[in-house]
Amino acid sequence: MPATIVDLGPARFFRLPGEAIVGAAILLALPRKPRVVLAAVSGVALAALTVLNWLDMGFKQYLGRTFNLVLDWSLLGDAQSYLEDSLGRTATFAATAGLIVLVLLLFASVAYAVVRLSNVLARHSAVATRGTLIAGVVWITCSSFGVQLAGVPLAADSAAVTLQSQTERVSDTLKDEAEFQKVAKVDAFGATPPAQLVPDLRGKDMIFTFIESYGRSAIEDPIMAPGVDKTLAVRTEALKKAGYHAKSGWLTSATYGGSSWLGHSTTLSGLWVSNQQRYRTVMASDHLSLTKVFKKSGAWDTVGVMPGVQKGWPEQSFFGLDKVYNAFELGYKGPKFSWSTMPDQYTLEQFQRRVHGKKHDKPVMSEVILTSSHQPWGPIPKMVGWDELGDGSIFKGIEAAGNKPADVIADTTKSRQEYGKSIQYSVTALTEWLERYGSKDTVLVFLGDHQPIARVSGNHASRDVPISIVAKDPKVLDKISAWGWSDGLRPAHDAPVWKMNLFRDRFLTAYGSTPHPKKG
């Protein structure tokens, strides 16, 4: 079995497995009792490798990487929650129960099959021995000469390779954990005095916004790009008429297809937070996040608006947010749109009423997370009059008339189409909010957290996401003129591409911050 869904094909199952030949030779040499024990243990091990292989296939399809045996078990609970939000509790319970039964049957049936096969070999030991020798010679010959069937090597060692790769991953993960703890203690701006942090942005209302799954594919894929590019062009012109200008580039995300918090923390910490262990390490550290810079300076109040947060969120301290509005504190009475607890337009209107539109003694630095473009992209909200938003009840009819999540999930083309529409909606809501409520002192930085899943972005898509900085004050964009970013909301194909963790230090430097390194 291959490690990716796209490589599945009949030729994969017409191969000669070297592990089976070695196993047959060992089983033939053993007396009955140890033979049966070894056969049962081998069957269980083979079933376990099969499950890990399935997990690799799923993780590559959705997250663009293999399953990590040390770190990723907790994500299975997140996957179940996602299914419950998208398909309902009953369907999720049925799917979970069915999966558990399938795995148990797999372990029992494979163990039984190997025991049964070992008994057959023992009963016909003379024929089995000759067959094993012949198969061994054929395997060595095919491996030596690279014999292939339909482009697939006939001699296989998939189980051994899977076992080796899993072992290496565990070892690498444990080493990475120790090394990253050292890296996280070093901070170029960790000891910078408050007065020397972002002096060139004093007096500005800063807004850092992440748009869920807003990736490069939305702008360059032939199915999604026409609609998204048109929206970006229209909204660039609308903002220009309102006195705003924008510059845009690309960042390479630390995650892909999901685990949005890894993209958020990578951007804001300046560290490459590519797995859950790194995330836990960073959150437990005193590394200076970009949002916390504004709090440390003493010149800003800091707020988070996070409609995707539905439980306790201790990360608030690391990000330096004085106040966080979660899904239950924004007064929403409308329907959920699959996983997304509320439409982005409603989130932004509440941000205006509760934060941006109120009088403050200091400017405000806000982190806003927009969730309407979260998979499965069905149903998708539609823009309504800003004065008609109320408590969100207006969205009941829109949600009821939208696509069902199961219909979108099952259709790749439809998933791509609806994903593109969701990005159009989120960008429109955000830029209309800025056009309607922004001032000469409003500075908006918005970007994607990661690409959408491989079924939408493609099996060989990059991890790049767009990022834009929008402001009325020309001095704000003059500070980043040396970056080579494109004018407008759409980054050019050949615009600079940085790793996402580099943004923090470059942003701080551009706006006048003085490095004072801290080394643990």
Side-chain angles (χ1 to χ4, degrees):
M1 188 180 294
T4 59
I5 291 176
V6 293
D7 289 331
L8 276 174
R12 291 281 176 178
F13 300 95
F14 285 91
R15 306 174 71 193
L16 191 60
E19 304 89 348
I21 299 169
V22 173
I26 294 172
L27 291 171
L28 281 166
L30 292 175
R32 183 182 182 283
K33 188 172 287 187
R35 185 189 74 242
V36 171
V37 172
L38 179 60
V41 171
S42 299
V44 170
L46 185 57
L49 287 176
T50 302
V51 171
L52 290 176
N53 211 87
W54 287 348
L55 288 168
D56 276 348
M57 293 169 76
F59 268 65
K60 284 187 176 180
Q61 183 71 2
Y62 278 84
L63 301 180
R65 62 177 177 83
T66 53
F67 177 77
N68 189 302
L69 195 58
V70 178
L71 303 176
D72 287 338
W73 294 108
S74 62
L75 295 182
L76 300 182
D78 292 332
Q80 186 178 23
S81 299
Y82 160 71
L83 285 177
E84 188 171 324
D85 288 331
S86 302
L87 303 179
R89 182 168 296 179
T90 302
T92 300
F93 177 80
T96 303
L99 183 60
I100 292 172
V101 170
L102 175 63
V103 171
L104 292 176
L105 284 174
L106 175 71
F107 275 85
S109 61
V110 175
Y112 172 74
V114 178
V115 170
R116 183 176 177 275
L117 182 58
S118 73
N119 291 333
V120 172
L121 293 173
R123 284 199 302 270
H124 306 280
S125 60
V127 175
T129 300
R130 288 196 299 272
T132 301
L133 290 172
I134 293 170
V137 172
V138 172
W139 191 93
I140 292 171
T141 303
C142 290
S143 178
S144 300
F145 290 96
V147 179
Q148 295 187 349
L149 175 66
V152 177
L154 193 59
D157 56 356
S158 304
V161 169
T162 300
L163 181 61
Q164 180 184 1
S165 64
Q166 290 290 349
T167 303
E168 289 175 352
R169 262 179 253 166
V170 169
S171 176
D172 291 344
T173 298
L174 297 176
K175 291 178 182 177
D176 177 76
E177 181 180 345
E179 292 172 0
F180 185 71
Q181 286 179 346
K182 299 176 183 177
V183 172
K185 291 179 180 178
V186 179
D187 190 341
F189 293 89
T192 300
Q196 296 179 25
L197 291 170
V198 287
D200 297 340
L201 290 174
R202 301 295 165 107
K204 303 298 183 184
D205 283 320
M206 297 297 306
I207 305 166
F208 293 92
T209 301
F210 290 91
I211 296 180
E212 172 65 38
S213 301
Y214 180 31
R216 187 170 194 137
S217 296
I219 293 176
E220 296 186 349
D221 182 90
I223 293 179
M224 289 96 73
V228 174
D229 286 352
K230 181 178 179 181
T231 295
L232 292 173
V234 169
R235 297 312 305 156
T236 295
E237 287 303 311
L239 289 175
K240 188 180 295 185
K241 289 180 181 179
Y244 289 94
H245 297 279
K247 285 189 176 293
S248 301
W250 303 105
L251 299 180
T252 301
S253 179
T255 185
Y256 177 98
S259 301
S260 302
W261 56 92
L262 302 182
H264 302 170
S265 55
T266 295
T267 304
L268 299 178
S269 72
L271 297 168
W272 191 251
V273 188
S274 56
N275 61 50
Q276 195 63 18
Q277 182 57 47
R278 285 189 168 210
Y279 181 76
R280 287 192 288 262
T281 298
V282 172
M283 291 303 113
S285 75
D286 60 355
H287 201 86
L288 190 62
S289 67
L290 180 55
T291 43
K292 201 170 189 174
V293 162
F294 292 87
K295 178 181 177 66
K296 182 180 177 181
S297 73
W300 280 269
D301 292 328
T302 58
V303 177
V305 179
M306 304 190 175
V309 173
Q310 302 179 60
K311 54 185 177 182
W313 197 62
E315 290 92 330
Q316 177 178 347
S317 174
F318 173 80
F319 290 112
L321 302 174
D322 298 319
K323 166 67 179 174
V324 170
Y325 292 93
N326 65 25
F328 309 111
E329 297 178 288
L330 296 172
Y332 184 64
K333 303 298 182 185
K336 290 180 68 175
F337 282 75
S338 189
W339 183 90
S340 180
T341 57
M342 64 192 71
D344 291 345
Q345 187 185 9
Y346 180 88
T347 298
L348 291 162
E349 179 65 21
Q350 289 301 308
F351 168 58
Q352 177 63 24
R353 293 182 184 182
R354 298 169 188 267
V355 182
H356 186 263
K358 287 189 172 183
K359 290 185 178 180
H360 298 270
D361 295 332
K362 304 175 183 176
V364 180
M365 188 293 304
S366 305
E367 181 185 356
V368 181
I369 310 297
L370 300 181
T371 62
S372 290
S373 49
H374 194 287
Q375 61 175 303
W377 309 297
I380 301 172
K382 296 182 183 298
M383 294 295 294
V384 300
W386 287 88
D387 296 329
E388 300 172 4
L389 285 166
D391 64 1
S393 298
I394 192 173
F395 290 104
K396 290 180 180 178
I398 295 173
E399 189 273 340
N403 291 314
K404 302 302 179 188
D407 296 337
V408 178
I409 290 174
D411 188 324
T412 298
T413 300
K414 198 166 191 176
S415 292
R416 290 179 171 178
Q417 293 170 340
E418 297 306 301
Y419 161 74
K421 292 176 185 177
S422 74
I423 295 298
Q424 291 176 251
Y425 169 79
S426 294
V427 170
T428 299
L430 179 60
T431 53
E432 278 195 15
W433 174 88
L434 182 62
E435 184 183 3
R436 181 181 176 89
Y437 294 120
S439 71
K440 62 182 178 62
D441 291 321
T442 304
V443 178
L444 172 64
V445 181
F446 75 94
L447 66 152
D449 44 23
H450 55 71
Q451 283 266 49
I453 59 175
R455 188 162 49 80
V456 170
S457 59
N459 293 302
H460 304 289
S462 73
R463 292 189 172 214
D464 296 347
V465 299
I467 180 170
S468 301
I469 298 180
V470 190
K472 266 189 178 179
D473 185 347
K475 295 179 183 177
V476 173
L477 296 185
D478 287 345
K479 296 288 183 181
I480 63 169
S481 59
W483 288 1
W485 283 15
S486 308
D487 291 329
L489 298 177
R490 185 194 187 284
H493 178 76
D494 58 353
V497 181
W498 306 339
K499 289 187 70 175
M500 188 176 263
N501 59 309
L502 300 179
F503 177 73
R504 188 203 72 156
D505 286 9
R506 292 184 178 183
F507 183 89
L508 292 177
T509 301
Y511 292 104
S513 303
T514 306
H516 285 268
K518 176 184 175 184
K519 299 182 179 180

